Amino acid sequence: MIEIILVRHVKVDGPAALYGRTDIAADKNENNKLLTELSERYNSDSGALLDLIISSPLQRCRLLAEQLSKQINIPMDCIEELQEMDFGQFDGLAFDQLVDERSLNTEIEGPWSTLEGFWQAPAQATLPNAESLIEFHQRVVLSWKKLAERAIKNNQKKILVLCHGGVIRIILAEILALNWQNPTWYQALKIDYASSTKVTVSTEANNTSSYHCLVNHIGLPLITNEG
Amino acid sequence: MIEIILVRHVKVDGPAALYGRTDIAADKNENNKLLTELSERYNSDSGALLDLIISSPLQRCRLLAEQLSKQINIPMDCIEELQEMDFGQFDGLAFDQLVDERSLNTEIEGPWSTLEGFWQAPAQATLPNAESLIEFHQRVVLSWKKLAERAIKNNQKKILVLCHGGVIRIILAEILALNWQNPTWYQALKIDYASSTKVTVSTEANNTSSYHCLVNHIGLPLITNEG
């Protein structure tokens, strides 16, 4: 049995916006808290040794992964395909910089209508110059399967993956065989900053090419005491 | 905003079986641990005061709810409709008492085939004399909506609900607008004993009859240190 712990990065150091491909920094203070927590959970005295740390290449995940890798002396890998969805022209654009056409007496579709359209139908209404949800889904699912199969092949038991909210939702939808095009899946499930989502992967004793996944918990807060 | 914390009862004091309507007792030791944990989280010094404790009428939930209600001096309500699915003839029947036709050279459908059929298609293959998944879904969703609407009406802010794994899955499927007939939803998502699942319910300022729900986390272990 392999445990794969998916951890979302901490809050970012920037104004409210859609951050996907944009390589924004993580909040330093929160990042240090998460580093301390993870290093306590997974250091060599913890009885919960990791085999590998995997990270999205974006710095809000990668810098923490690199620091943790050094502190607990566990190797790390970056996987390009685990980076967040690319939101195109809207990526990294502060919401308060967008013209708010909702306050104007106009019929012209402005940025807020475009965002609203995407929010209501993310699989159909691709943002300008953005990755489509279909493309995003395809790359994340492929990457997840490779990750699980490599872990089985290499006989790994525990892997920590630093990645993004959208990436975690796609992986969950795949495991739970649910409709990843359903907008409510993105609107009504919170994958909070610095939260952990745990999946266990099991193989049959006589057939390691077939495996099944179980979701143990979703969105467990790592640096607060929420109940 | 209302927080509704759904807590599954602890492991039961009986052999492995489908426990639905059967009024089996909870494991005493685990129950005491959960009581201590909940009472620490929600006592009057905690800053996390509950308005109400709600429970399934089955003793594996109700006894804990009653004890907690007394300890932290918060009223409690039993809601009949929040009890677990009724598994009919299989309810409470120890798995190791079932004839295992899989070891016999027979074409006759035995209990394990019936269980397997239910497991693979819970919405279609109703167990003998059992509640159908459709009926179960209907009563839980109706009860959940009433619960949320009553909380809004009574201006409650924090409610703890002691209930069951199946009940929590149906509520989650309703909030996330996903296909509750999908067998993988029941197979691949673990709602562990003594775990908490948190939902927040928000109303619009000028229209309290309309509300939306957000799932904050799923399956957070309350009496272990799992990561």
Side-chain angles (χ1 to χ4, degrees), chain A residues 3 5 41-42 174-179 182 184-185 187-192 196 198 213-222 225-227, chain B residues 3 5 41-42 174-179 182 184-185 187-192 196 198 213-222 225-227:
Chain A
E3 288 180 57
I5 300 125
R41 278 179 187 241
Y42 301 116
E174 172 67 13
I175 295 172
L176 299 171
L178 55 85
N179 176 16
N182 166 15
T184 311
W185 182 244
Q187 296 163 7
L189 175 66
K190 187 162 181 171
I191 304 285
D192 213 351
S196 106
K198 185 169 143 187
C213 299
L214 180 72
V215 178
N216 294 78
H217 61 239
I218 298 176
L220 189 150
L222 290 175
N225 296 309
E226 262 198 287
Chain B
E3 288 180 57
I5 300 125
R41 279 180 187 239
Y42 301 116
E174 172 68 13
I175 295 172
L176 299 171
L178 53 85
N179 176 15
N182 166 15
T184 311
W185 182 244
Q187 296 163 6
L189 175 66
K190 187 163 182 171
I191 303 285
D192 213 350
S196 104
K198 184 169 143 187
C213 298
L214 181 72
V215 178
N216 294 77
H217 61 241
I218 298 176
L220 187 152
L222 290 175
N225 297 308
E226 262 198 288

